[in-house]
Amino acid sequence: AKDYLKIDMQNILIVVDDADINFEEFRLKEDSTAAGHRGLKSIETHLNTKNYARLRVGIGREKKELKAYVLDRFTKTEKEKLKEITKKALSFIELYLEKGIKIAANKANVRLKKNVEEKNDT
């Protein structure tokens, strides 16, 4: 699609889920590594570069095996938070488009304190 539509790399933002980032957290970066994320590795292969912007949306997996976790259902608490997470992701994308990656990354790359009660919610 990039080649066919003649899209410059600076106009590409990849949005992915990431089990190695805590639920509700985001990471916005450019020119970074895939850090073991198979989807990002595939994108790097097809784009032939690591130099692209990516917004990683944390789905956190605690210490569960990745395949089992990804195929599992969201907890009640997680379901309740999905709408807000989507709104935040969209706000970071809009900020990225309007003000650039540095300003958007300053807002997106914030670590949250984990609530112990939420970890045990099912």
Side-chain angles (χ1 to χ4, degrees):
K2 175 198 163 294
D3 293 338
Y4 180 78
L5 297 171
K6 298 180 173 99
I7 300 171
D8 291 329
M9 288 303 300
Q10 66 191 24
N11 294 324
I12 293 177
L13 172 64
I14 304 296
V15 180
V16 296
D17 63 342
D18 195 316
D20 293 325
I21 296 175
N22 291 332
F23 188 77
E24 294 185 86
E25 291 187 357
F26 301 85
R27 298 292 176 271
L28 178 60
K29 296 181 179 182
E30 67 180 336
D31 196 19
S32 187
T33 66
H37 192 289
R38 290 182 183 167
L40 291 178
K41 284 182 184 180
S42 176
I43 289 167
E44 289 174 5
T45 299
H46 291 317
L47 293 178
N48 199 29
T49 185
K50 294 178 184 177
N51 189 17
Y52 61 90
R54 78 273 334 256
L55 176 62
R56 299 165 88 136
V57 181
I59 61 170
R61 67 171 155 156
E62 303 302 316
K63 294 184 172 146
K64 297 178 183 177
E65 188 231 333
L66 182 61
K67 184 177 179 181
Y69 182 73
V70 171
L71 296 175
D72 204 1
R73 296 184 184 273
F74 287 110
T75 66
K76 180 182 175 186
T77 301
E78 290 170 338
K79 281 182 191 177
E80 292 169 355
K81 293 181 178 187
L82 287 178
K83 194 172 197 174
E84 184 60 31
I85 291 168
T86 302
K87 283 183 184 180
K88 280 186 178 181
L90 290 172
S91 74
F92 298 142
I93 293 168
E94 289 173 355
L95 191 58
Y96 165 79
L97 293 171
E98 293 170 5
K99 304 283 185 173
I101 193 158
K102 289 183 181 182
I103 291 172
N106 283 337
K107 296 283 186 186
N109 298 340
V110 175
R111 299 203 186 257
L112 304 174
K113 291 182 180 180
K114 292 202 83 163
N115 184 338
V116 176
E117 293 174 343
E118 291 177 8
K119 287 173 42 177
N120 297 322
D121 184 25
T122 52

Coordinates of all heavy atoms in Angstrom, one line a residue, residues 7 16 34-36 46 51 59 66 69 77-78 81 85 101 120:
I7 N 3.2 6.7 -0.4 CA 3.2 7.3 0.9 C 4.6 7.5 1.4 O 5.3 6.5 1.5 CB 2.3 6.5 1.8 CG1 0.9 6.4 1.3 CG2 2.3 7.1 3.2 CD1 0.0 5.5 2.0
V16 N -0.3 -0.8 17.2 CA -0.3 -2.2 17.6 C -0.6 -2.4 19.0 O -0.4 -1.5 19.9 CB 1.0 -2.9 17.2 CG1 1.3 -2.9 15.7 CG2 2.2 -2.3 18.0
A34 N 11.7 -3.6 17.1 CA 10.5 -4.3 17.2 C 10.3 -4.9 18.6 O 9.2 -5.2 19.1 CB 10.4 -5.4 16.2
A35 N 11.4 -5.0 19.3 CA 11.5 -5.5 20.7 C 10.7 -6.8 20.8 O 10.0 -7.1 21.8 CB 10.9 -4.5 21.7
G36 N 10.9 -7.7 19.9 CA 10.3 -9.0 19.9 C 8.9 -9.1 19.4 O 8.3 -10.2 19.3
H46 N 8.7 -5.6 5.6 CA 8.1 -5.1 4.4 C 8.4 -3.7 4.0 O 8.5 -3.3 2.9 CB 6.5 -5.3 4.5 CG 6.1 -6.8 4.5 ND1 6.7 -7.7 3.6 CD2 5.2 -7.4 5.2 CE1 6.1 -8.9 3.8 NE2 5.2 -8.7 4.8
N51 N 12.7 2.8 10.7 CA 12.4 4.2 10.9 C 11.0 4.6 10.5 O 10.7 5.1 9.4 CB 13.4 5.0 10.0 CG 13.3 6.5 10.3 OD1 12.8 6.9 11.4 ND2 13.8 7.3 9.5
I59 N -1.5 -4.1 26.4 CA -2.6 -5.0 26.8 C -2.1 -5.9 28.0 O -2.9 -6.7 28.6 CB -3.1 -5.9 25.7 CG1 -1.9 -6.8 25.1 CG2 -3.7 -5.1 24.6 CD1 -2.4 -7.9 24.2
L66 N 2.0 -16.0 26.3 CA 1.5 -15.0 25.3 C 0.3 -15.6 24.6 O -0.8 -14.9 24.5 CB 2.6 -14.6 24.4 CG 2.1 -13.5 23.4 CD1 1.7 -12.3 24.0 CD2 3.3 -13.2 22.4
Y69 N -2.8 -15.8 26.7 CA -3.3 -14.5 27.1 C -4.0 -13.8 26.0 O -5.1 -13.2 26.2 CB -2.2 -13.7 27.6 CG -2.6 -12.3 28.1 CD1 -3.3 -12.2 29.3 CD2 -2.4 -11.2 27.4 CE1 -3.8 -11.0 29.8 CE2 -2.9 -10.0 27.8 CZ -3.6 -9.9 29.0 OH -4.1 -8.7 29.5
T77 N -13.2 -5.6 34.5 CA -12.5 -4.3 34.6 C -11.9 -3.8 33.3 O -12.0 -2.7 32.9 CB -11.5 -4.3 35.7 OG1 -12.1 -4.7 37.0 CG2 -10.8 -3.0 35.9
E78 N -11.2 -4.7 32.6 CA -10.6 -4.4 31.3 C -11.7 -3.9 30.3 O -11.5 -3.0 29.6 CB -9.8 -5.6 30.8 CG -8.5 -5.8 31.6 CD -7.9 -7.1 31.2 OE1 -8.5 -8.0 30.7 OE2 -6.6 -7.3 31.5
K81 N -12.8 -0.5 30.7 CA -11.8 0.6 30.4 C -11.5 0.7 28.9 O -10.8 1.6 28.5 CB -10.5 0.2 31.1 CG -10.7 0.4 32.6 CD -9.4 0.1 33.3 CE -9.6 0.4 34.8 NZ -8.4 0.3 35.6
I85 N -9.6 3.7 26.8 CA -8.3 3.4 26.1 C -8.3 3.8 24.7 O -7.4 4.4 24.1 CB -7.9 2.0 26.3 CG1 -7.6 1.7 27.8 CG2 -6.7 1.6 25.4 CD1 -7.5 0.2 28.2
I101 N 5.6 14.0 16.5 CA 5.8 12.9 17.4 C 6.3 13.2 18.8 O 6.0 12.6 19.8 CB 6.7 11.8 16.7 CG1 6.6 10.5 17.6 CG2 8.1 12.3 16.5 CD1 6.9 9.3 16.8
N120 N -6.3 -8.7 40.2 CA -6.9 -10.0 40.6 C -8.4 -10.1 40.1 O -9.1 -11.0 40.4 CB -6.9 -10.1 42.1 CG -5.5 -10.3 42.6 OD1 -4.6 -10.9 41.9 ND2 -5.1 -9.6 43.7

